Amino acid sequence: MVTSVRLRTPLALLGAAVLVLAGPPLLSTGSGAETGTQIPGLRFMVPNTPGGGYDITARTAAKNAEDAGLTHSIEVFNLPGAGGTVGLSRLVSEHGNGKLAMSMGLGVVGAVRSNHAPKTLADTTPIARLTEEQDVVVVAKDSPYRTIDELITAWKKNPGKLPVGGGSSPGGPDHLAPMLMARAAGISPKAVNYIPFDGGGELLASILGNKVAFGVSGVGEYLDQIKAGELRVLAVTGPERVEELKDAPTLKESGYDVNFTNWRGIVAPPGLSEAERDKLTRLVEELHDSPEWQKSLEQNGWDDAFLSGERFGAFLDAQDKRVVSVLKELGL
């Protein structure tokens, strides 16, 4: 089922970040006309539910591109299912469609493997990697766990009774991060009770309702809820503290040898002409250089990780091999 969404759902329900598509799209004859980035009728598919990281990235990119005058009337729509592989299958079936792109990331790489999907990212046209971000380990504001050590002490006593929720299928970032965390804490990854959700928006309600003991998701997805006091962040998974969450320690400085980051990017259908591929790539490159996008990176706690074209294609291949390797290493 395809869900077209033009307005963001309430932050308290979906954990979306700050930027919203509101009102009629901006019409512009700005830099897009000059650099050849205008793609009339461009549609941006989000392969999970509203409020997740792919959704936030897609809607932010679309609004920024319009505000910068690079193109106009971008339609963003959601096609969730099977960790992103339903959307991936749809994308691949749109052979030669130069007016369609899909927001994706490490979660789709993992879902392809865990769901034994018939279509893979090798069947797409790679456009660009946009961002990198850390995951956060979060609990509800009324959770008994106030520090990462308190949580892990309880987790070690009975891993199966402390379910952890993530916004990705097994093999995706929100699954790999707690599995690496468990191993670093001396917990067998096979003993972890991981509950997958189709994006951070779905996960949020279960964290707030204490249906899971804790959740793992991207910084940008839950930054507003953390700042509002609805969620308590216990740790971040990357190498350094996050500027917007300075009080949250890294797992490594807390004594757990984990250094994990997620990334997100854009792919298009196979079979594009060279001109269609180049125009999509040029649009994303101009978006990356725009003040609007640079401001969004800062607001959402995203790190700039831009990589386009063939280099992004090589990166996707390496990430697929990485997921397989980590899952084998963890015995999963």
Side-chain angles (χ1 to χ4, degrees):
M1 176 179 174
V2 178
T3 307
S4 291
V5 180
R6 292 295 294 177
L7 291 176
R8 297 291 293 275
T9 49
L11 290 177
L13 293 177
L14 291 177
V18 292
L19 292 171
V20 181
L21 288 179
L26 295 174
L27 299 178
S28 172
T29 57
S31 59
E34 298 163 12
T35 60
T37 59
Q38 294 284 345
I39 306 177
L42 178 62
R43 305 180 77 214
F44 211 160
M45 184 197 304
V46 177
N48 64 7
T49 53
Y54 300 151
D55 189 69
I56 294 168
T57 303
R59 294 180 188 282
T60 301
K63 186 176 189 303
N64 288 171
E66 291 181 358
D67 288 350
L70 300 176
T71 191
H72 62 273
S73 301
I74 302 173
E75 178 192 356
V76 182
F77 69 99
N78 297 76
L79 183 59
T85 57
V86 170
L88 175 62
S89 179
R90 163 72 178 276
L91 186 83
V92 174
S93 74
E94 295 275 347
H95 190 277
N97 185 352
K99 296 180 182 294
L100 180 65
M102 185 178 85
S103 175
M104 49 72 69
L106 180 57
V108 177
V109 178
V112 165
R113 286 293 177 179
S114 61
N115 294 325
H116 306 289
K119 302 300 181 182
T120 75
L121 289 164
D123 298 313
T124 70
T125 299
I127 300 300
R129 183 183 69 186
L130 292 175
T131 64
E132 186 176 49
E133 73 171 338
Q134 303 194 38
D135 269 359
V136 286
V137 181
V138 292
V139 295
K141 63 182 179 182
D142 56 353
S143 168
Y145 309 114
R146 305 197 67 83
T147 67
I148 190 67
D149 285 330
E150 289 178 359
L151 172 65
I152 288 183
T153 297
W155 199 23
K156 289 175 74 171
K157 288 179 180 176
N158 200 331
K161 288 195 174 180
L162 264 72
V164 50
S168 59
S169 296
D174 299 351
H175 171 252
L176 293 178
M179 293 302 167
L180 292 169
M181 191 168 90
R183 185 182 65 175
I187 301 169
S188 168
K190 290 184 177 180
V192 173
N193 181 7
Y194 176 76
I195 301 178
F197 294 84
D198 207 348
E202 284 192 357
L203 170 62
L204 180 62
S206 288
I207 300 173
L208 294 176
N210 292 307
K211 301 291 178 59
V212 294
F214 64 104
V216 177
S217 195
V219 170
E221 293 174 74
Y222 291 160
L223 197 56
D224 284 345
Q225 287 69 35
I226 293 167
K227 289 181 176 179
E230 296 174 12
L231 294 176
R232 181 184 305 137
V233 57
L234 303 184
V236 297
T237 64
E240 298 176 350
R241 294 195 181 203
V242 175
E243 181 68 25
E244 295 82 359
L245 303 170
K246 285 187 176 180
D247 291 337
T250 67
L251 287 170
K252 197 150 193 173
E253 71 180 282
S254 301
Y256 308 100
D257 191 12
V258 176
N259 181 357
F260 182 86
T261 56
N262 185 19
W263 57 268
R264 297 192 180 94
I266 299 171
V267 293
L272 301 192
S273 68
E274 184 176 348
E276 289 172 324
R277 184 198 63 210
D278 288 350
K279 180 167 273 195
L280 267 172
T281 303
R282 189 161 56 246
L283 170 62
V284 178
E285 288 174 344
E286 292 286 333
L287 168 68
H288 168 259
D289 293 340
S290 71
E292 290 84 355
W293 178 253
Q294 293 302 315
K295 183 177 179 180
S296 293
L297 290 176
E298 182 180 351
Q299 288 179 329
N300 288 288
W302 296 334
D303 292 326
D304 189 351
F306 193 76
L307 195 67
S308 63
E310 292 181 1
R311 291 188 303 156
F312 180 45
F315 172 79
L316 288 177
D317 183 58
Q319 286 290 286
D320 181 56
K321 292 181 173 64
R322 175 195 175 204
V323 166
V324 173
S325 175
V326 171
L327 289 174
K328 286 182 178 177
E329 184 183 335
L330 294 172
L332 300 172

